[in-house]
Every structure is written in C-alpha cells, then in structure tokens.
Amino acid sequence: IYTKMDEQSGTTINNSGFGGSTYNGTLTGATWLESTRCKSNGCLNFDTTADTVSFGDVSFVDSIASMSASFWINPQALSTTK
C-alpha cells in the first residue's frame, strides 16, 4: 500500500501501490489542511486519537513475515507527559 494522502478533500485515501483501488483507505475524523501548510500538494491534520485512516482487511499482509512502514509527520506541539 502506498498513499500520498494529498487528495485535499473527501474521505477516500487513494492507494497508488500494490492492489490499486482495492486497498484505498477511508478517512475518519482528520481534516484536510490548505496546501500552503503542507509539504506536497495536500495533507491531513490528525488532532485526536479518534482520527484514523482504515484500509479494512488487507489480506495479503497475513502472509508477510516482515514489513516496514514510514511516515512523515509535522508535530504542532510536543507533550512532555506520557
């Protein structure tokens, strides 16, 4: 799954990787920011623990022994509490 998360509107996160639109994500809660605040084209603001992107049942992951994930984040503020 490869997503740019730069759609700039709506609740569908398009998958540009393996499986194509079969593995599009569904956005819940997060909001789109204006493109001038983003690194590339558009971005999302996740400001609560209820903000999610769900890809549903990604069955091919069940047979993978190992994998990696990467994210680019821009924290607005860092908490010193745990």
Side-chain angles (χ1 to χ4, degrees):
I1 296 174
Y2 171 72
T3 64
K4 296 179 185 178
M5 293 190 185
D6 66 353
E7 287 79 3
Q8 299 181 2
S9 66
T11 59
T12 299
I13 303 298
N14 295 311
N15 172 36
S16 302
F18 176 81
S21 63
T22 301
Y23 298 115
N24 282 348
T26 301
L27 176 66
T28 303
T31 54
W32 293 102
L33 297 177
E34 60 276 4
S35 61
T36 57
R37 294 184 60 195
C38 304
K39 185 165 180 67
S40 175
N41 299 327
C43 59
L44 289 162
N45 181 37
F46 292 87
D47 61 356
T48 73
T49 57
D51 296 348
T52 63
V53 175
S54 173
F55 293 96
D57 182 14
V58 182
S59 57
F60 74 87
V61 173
D62 296 341
S63 61
I64 296 175
S66 65
M67 62 186 239
S68 63
S70 63
F71 305 90
W72 185 88
I73 61 169
N74 182 14
Q76 300 298 308
L78 297 176
S79 173
T80 57
T81 60
K82 294 181 181 181

